[in-house]
Amino acid sequence: MRVDRRWCILRSLLNGVVPTFNYLMSNSTATASAAANIALVKYWGKASIGNNQPATGSVSLGLEDLRTTTTLEYATGNQDTFDTELDDKARKRALSFLDRVRLNHQITQRLHMTTANNFPTGTGLASSASGFAALSLAFNALFNLKLAGSDLSRMARLGSGSAARSVYGGVVELIPSDDAYAIPIATAEEWPLDVIVAVTEERPKAIGSTEAMIQTANTSPFYRSWLSSHADDMTSAKQAITEKDFGKLADTSEHNCLKMHATMITSEPPIIYWQPATVEIMHEVRALRSSGTPAFFTIDAGAQVKIVCLPSATDTIRQQLKAITGLKRVIVTRLGGSPSVTTS
Ligand code: PMV
């Protein structure tokens, strides 16, 4: 960490004297793959909006097979360019993120970006998490910044709060502070789990998470209780992970998820992400758990239900889900999601 800071100071000094110093040290292309993650104890609410400082801590699982792959190389002109069809909002977010991280690292080079998700975008499947994590990893590699994990996590957080967790795989904790970053707390190998993503809505969500968080914080009578009861959920989830206590993790995660949605539903105007199939699946998962199947649900800012289970239960759950009307499709993945980076 100390070495990295010195390196940054030296880099910025040299950059003033020799403007091309960054480019001499950098690679010509960098490709990064980062996975989406789902929070079991959620980040919902911002302590500072511009910097995506979370008002709460969070604990997440990396989803091995839901990934964004992003390549960065130098743009030929004096503008950032994209190889990929991005809607206006996504393009603006990517551009303002690039401007910000370039400024932080005294880099002026314009970039050409190619990016693809292997899962639906903007529907509550954490595409912003994998997207900004992959972009941060590629940026770090292209310019050979050699950032420590905590600083990469901080960089990704500037794009989206949950992206701070996607720079690692496995079980990850996001620690709130005035410059919040995430740390890995368990590997996928320590506790193999499966996640079944039940897609109940393929269309993009009506309201994005930042806007929804602000509306909730400003208008829900339950937002204060959400904040004040959050630390107990964090303690309980981390304990359950250390002890591999599936029942405790199930109870804590469902409770935390429903509290988060309660603040949304009670905001003005209300934010209701659920579809009828979302609710049906919640009932189904609870019934399965009551009859001994190790499974629980969680839902983020969208209609999709993520079912976390022991791998021995995956097939049974998939079979049960077939009866749900309104279920569009399922994606099954294991816990994992370590990022990968290549340069040339
Ligand atoms: O990082 P954002 O702005 O997409 O917000 C993520 C919010 C939730 O997915 C609902 C919760 C979480 O911790 O990921």
Side-chain angles (χ1 to χ4, degrees), residues 41-326:
V41 178
K42 314 278 190 193
Y43 141 57
W44 192 253
K46 296 182 200 270
S48 134
I49 294 167
N51 291 323
N52 285 334
Q53 298 296 355
T56 59
S58 52
V59 174
S60 66
L61 305 179
L63 305 183
E64 178 61 25
D65 299 318
L66 275 69
R67 285 182 173 267
T68 301
T69 303
T70 297
T71 299
L72 283 182
E73 53 204 314
Y74 295 162
T76 43
N78 57 2
Q79 284 199 338
D80 292 315
T81 50
F82 297 85
D83 227 3
T84 315
E85 285 286 313
L86 291 179
D87 64 34
D88 255 12
K89 206 169 154 202
R91 180 180 283 260
K92 275 191 194 136
R93 265 182 97 176
L95 287 173
S96 81
F97 175 81
L98 285 175
D99 282 343
R100 194 141 179 205
V101 295
R102 263 193 297 249
L103 191 67
N104 288 350
H105 292 278
Q106 321 250 335
I107 289 167
T108 52
Q109 175 65 49
R110 298 288 126 178
L111 297 165
H112 182 67
M113 173 175 155
T114 310
T115 189
N117 291 337
N118 67 355
F119 62 94
T121 301
T123 59
L125 287 180
S127 53
S128 66
S130 53
F132 284 107
L135 188 50
S136 303
L137 289 155
F139 189 90
N140 178 51
L142 184 70
F143 293 107
N144 208 13
L145 300 177
K146 295 191 165 58
L147 294 181
S150 52
D151 287 332
L152 257 174
S153 173
R154 289 182 171 110
M155 182 192 278
R157 193 206 70 227
L158 296 175
S160 136
S162 53
R165 301 184 306 242
S166 274
V167 299
Y168 310 104
V171 187
V172 178
E173 177 182 3
L174 178 55
I175 305 165
S177 73
D178 56 6
D179 195 7
Y181 63 93
I183 53 166
I185 58 172
T187 64
E189 292 71 32
E190 281 169 68
W191 197 9
L193 295 169
D194 276 356
V195 178
I196 302 168
V197 181
V199 179
T200 59
E201 176 62 270
E202 306 258 22
R203 287 170 301 184
K205 55 195 175 193
I207 172 167
S209 51
T210 294
E211 204 186 323
M213 282 184 204
I214 295 169
Q215 190 167 309
T216 305
N218 288 340
T219 64
S220 169
F222 301 139
Y223 183 69
R224 273 166 184 257
S225 336
W226 160 254
L227 294 183
S228 62
S229 63
H230 203 271
D232 288 347
D233 294 349
M234 287 293 289
T235 307
S236 172
K238 287 195 287 178
Q239 224 167 45
I241 287 158
T242 309
E243 293 161 3
K244 297 194 180 56
D245 182 338
F246 192 88
K248 185 172 179 162
L249 189 61
D251 291 343
T252 307
S253 303
E254 287 187 357
H255 179 61
N256 186 268
C257 163
L258 292 172
K259 273 196 299 190
M260 179 184 77
H261 282 272
T263 68
M264 297 176 189
I265 291 165
T266 52
S267 77
E268 291 179 279
I271 301 159
I272 308 172
Y273 284 115
W274 300 345
Q275 290 295 323
T278 314
V279 180
E280 246 190 278
I281 297 168
M282 284 157 58
H283 285 299
E284 183 59 47
V285 172
R286 289 182 62 75
L288 279 166
R289 187 153 87 258
S290 303
S291 61
T293 305
F296 65 87
F297 67 78
T298 189
I299 305 158
D300 290 304
Q304 333 303 356
V305 187
K306 289 90 176 209
I307 303 161
V308 181
C309 63
L310 296 183
S312 56
T314 306
D315 286 344
T316 312
I317 299 163
R318 286 187 77 155
Q319 281 307 319
Q320 290 298 121
L321 288 178
K322 283 188 178 155
I324 308 275
T325 337

Side-chain angles (χ1 to χ4, degrees), residues 22-41:
N22 275 312
Y23 317 136
L24 292 175
M25 299 299 292
S26 60
N27 294 296
S28 53
T29 75
T31 297
S33 158
N37 70 73
I38 50 161
L40 303 183
V41 178

